[in-house]
Amino acid sequence: MKIIKAWQKDASGVINRIINRHERIPAGLEESVREILNNVKNRGDVALIAYTEKFDHVSLKPSEMKVKKKEIRDAYKKVSKKFIDAIELSAQRIGKFHEKQRQRSWMYSEDGALLGQLVTPLQRIGIYVPGGKAAYPSSVIMNTIPAKMAGVKEIVMCSPSRSKIANPEVLVAADISGVDEIYRIGGAQAIGAMAYGTETIKKVDKIVGPGNIYVSIAKKIVFGDVDIDMIAGPSEILIIADKTAEPSFVAADMLSQAEHDEMASAILITNSEELATNVDIEIKKQLRGLNRKKIAEKSLENSGWIILTKSLTDAVNLANDIAPEHLELSVAEPFEILAIIRNAGAIFLGNYTPEAIGDYSAGPNHVLPTGGTARFFSPLSVDDFTKRSSVLYFSRDGMRKIANAVVTIADSEGLQGHKEAVKVRMRR
């Protein structure tokens, strides 16, 4: 691991690169994605089938795009009871957490007026679940259950597969969490199908879920035609630790993110030089037995750092500037540190709260802002699947009480029609 001292001049360049990290889009890639989206928009199922054969090497008929109920039933026979129990436990905990996020409609009355907010669920949402290098049943339950808790009526899932048979773990997770329609379509073409609709796939109101850079670009382009959750970048973890932290725990948690992919980021910030050295030793030791060793090594080479600070306060200030997706507080008094954390997607307190449990079974959502966007984005929640409408009712007397203010402001803006719409009622 690369160890730097934050107070030295030569560290500023590295720290600035970490703070200002962004996934750069290779030249020409956005144009390629736009072409795919336009083809899906104009040619529908024909384009979907052609791109599925080109990119996923699977030849489908329109009638084969949607996963049949029998295939879902058969999927239960292909997975272990242990897996089913784990998904059911996780779904229950995720549901319990997100149920508490539900908002209610409300109204209040004053001076002849009734004012309020009507909270309504989105009608139809689309979930993208990666299915290329690996399958992620956890992404299914994390994206589906908040939508169910919000009251969404129709939940559609698109996930690519390398054959005409979809991944059984993904199908079981989708069934347990309440997905209504499943399509074996992936990539930017799947985003286009959900955004614009085809002969087989009806368009949605919002698209959520992670994907590769093609999927992320596609979501960015279709935003406005539909809503999206966020533009997800490479996974990242930042650990603030003091001398009380267990080096083997810290190293394991850093590797748990580094194994995601070569672009993932794993950073330790500590005020203990002894801990920094011991974590570095532990990482080397634990890497030997990791089945995704090459990926983790590349990730640490690209974006793995141990940063020494003079104090924990300095460590927190730096973490707030970085605004990580996952933030672990492996310190003696984590709740004291929590009080001064401003920017993080999810915060894990203490030595026995590894980030990995947040990915699967803890309860809070694992769809989190990356790339420093935790400064202004929040984790996926029930709120992402509802919309709010303002509600206004005025009696004759209630309107008259604010009519002069409305007329005055409309007059100042030169909008005579607005003014007359109020004055005509005042004359009656």
Side-chain angles (χ1 to χ4, degrees):
M1 290 289 291
K2 303 175 288 289
I3 301 177
I4 63 171
K5 296 178 179 178
W7 60 87
Q8 294 181 340
K9 286 184 178 180
D10 58 357
S12 60
V14 170
I15 291 172
N16 285 334
R17 285 199 302 276
I18 295 171
I19 292 171
N20 297 305
R21 68 203 180 280
H22 296 290
E23 192 175 16
R24 289 170 174 78
I25 299 174
L29 199 57
E30 187 165 333
E31 289 76 9
S32 298
V33 172
R34 283 188 186 277
E35 182 181 348
I36 293 171
L37 293 174
N38 286 333
N39 276 332
V40 172
K41 186 176 184 179
N42 296 323
R43 300 172 62 217
D45 285 351
V46 172
L48 275 185
I49 290 168
Y51 285 126
T52 300
E53 186 162 9
K54 178 179 179 180
F55 297 128
D56 297 326
H57 311 293
V58 177
S59 180
L60 296 174
K61 299 173 184 176
S63 61
E64 295 173 322
M65 287 194 292
K66 186 176 181 179
V67 175
K68 305 292 191 295
K69 295 291 184 183
K70 183 181 184 304
E71 188 176 339
I72 297 171
R73 289 194 300 270
D74 290 344
Y76 279 87
K77 303 171 187 176
K78 299 176 181 178
V79 301
S80 67
K81 184 180 183 303
K82 187 176 180 181
F83 173 81
I84 295 171
D85 290 344
I87 291 293
E88 288 179 340
L89 172 67
S90 300
Q92 182 268 329
R93 292 184 62 87
I94 294 163
K96 183 177 181 179
F97 179 88
H98 288 84
E99 186 178 25
K100 297 181 183 300
Q101 297 176 335
R102 285 173 169 165
Q103 290 194 38
R104 302 286 187 261
S105 299
W106 51 265
M107 288 191 179
Y108 68 93
S109 61
E110 64 174 17
D111 297 331
L114 188 64
L115 305 171
Q117 180 173 272
L118 181 65
V119 179
T120 55
L122 302 181
Q123 178 66 26
R124 181 177 171 87
I125 65 107
I127 296 171
Y128 187 85
V129 177
K133 293 180 180 178
Y136 296 102
S138 61
S139 288
V140 179
I141 56 178
M142 288 290 182
N143 284 278
T144 304
I145 291 174
K148 297 294 286 187
M149 289 294 165
V152 174
K153 300 299 182 187
E154 301 172 22
I155 301 177
V156 180
M157 186 180 91
C158 285
S159 183
S161 59
R162 296 302 182 189
S163 70
K164 289 187 179 181
I165 303 300
N167 180 278
E169 283 89 0
V170 168
L171 292 185
V172 169
D175 189 56
I176 289 172
S177 55
V179 173
D180 299 297
E181 303 167 28
I182 304 172
Y183 297 93
R184 51 183 116 250
I185 300 294
Q189 60 271 23
I191 301 302
M194 291 189 283
Y196 305 128
T198 73
E199 297 89 337
T200 299
I201 303 175
K202 181 182 168 187
K203 74 172 294 183
V204 303
D205 300 314
K206 182 167 187 166
I207 300 171
V208 300
N212 62 21
I213 191 168
Y214 292 92
V215 170
S216 295
I217 293 171
K219 286 171 69 178
K220 182 179 179 181
I221 292 171
V222 301
F223 176 61
D225 293 301
V226 293
D227 192 17
I228 63 170
D229 50 354
M230 61 186 79
I231 306 297
S235 191
E236 54 193 42
I237 189 171
L238 190 154
I239 302 172
I240 296 176
D242 61 16
K243 63 182 181 181
T244 67
E246 168 54 52
S248 64
F249 294 0
V250 174
D253 293 351
M254 294 178 76
L255 289 175
S256 75
Q257 289 304 292
E259 73 172 355
H260 266 292
D261 62 65
E262 293 87 347
M263 298 305 294
S265 169
I267 298 171
L268 166 64
I269 306 179
T270 180
N271 61 344
S272 168
E273 192 160 356
E274 181 182 359
L275 178 73
T277 301
N278 289 335
V279 167
D280 187 31
I281 293 169
E282 274 292 331
I283 286 175
K284 292 184 178 74
K285 186 190 303 181
Q286 293 182 28
L287 262 173
R288 297 188 199 114
L290 207 63
N291 64 342
R292 293 167 68 92
K293 177 183 176 183
K294 290 184 178 179
I295 292 173
E297 283 180 331
K298 193 67 176 176
S299 168
L300 294 176
E301 181 184 330
N302 291 333
S303 305
W305 297 94
I306 296 176
I307 302 175
L308 284 166
T309 58
K310 290 183 176 179
S311 68
L312 279 182
T313 301
D314 290 342
V316 172
N317 289 337
L318 180 53
N320 281 329
D321 289 339
I322 293 171
E325 177 188 17
H326 305 103
L327 174 65
E328 287 188 7
L329 303 181
S330 297
V331 296
E333 300 293 341
F335 287 93
E336 289 184 10
I337 298 295
L338 178 63
I340 52 175
I341 297 297
R342 296 193 315 274
N343 303 321
I347 306 167
F348 302 78
L349 307 179
N351 290 316
Y352 290 90
T353 316
E355 183 278 330
I357 67 168
D359 275 348
Y360 300 118
S361 307
N365 212 285
H366 80 190
V367 180
L368 303 167
T370 60
T373 59
R375 292 180 294 110
F376 47 82
F377 271 135
S378 303
L380 192 73
S381 73
V382 169
D383 288 345
D384 287 291
F385 301 100
T386 63
K387 54 191 177 66
R388 288 157 293 283
S389 302
S390 298
V391 178
L392 304 84
Y393 165 79
F394 279 82
S395 67
R396 183 171 181 266
D397 289 341
M399 189 212 71
R400 284 179 171 270
K401 288 178 180 177
I402 65 169
N404 286 334
V406 174
V407 167
T408 299
I409 296 171
D411 200 34
S412 75
E413 294 183 351
L415 298 174
Q416 186 177 2
H418 283 63
K419 179 173 72 173
E420 290 302 322
V422 174
K423 293 188 73 173
V424 70
R425 289 170 167 80
M426 293 174 67
R427 289 193 288 267
R428 290 185 64 84

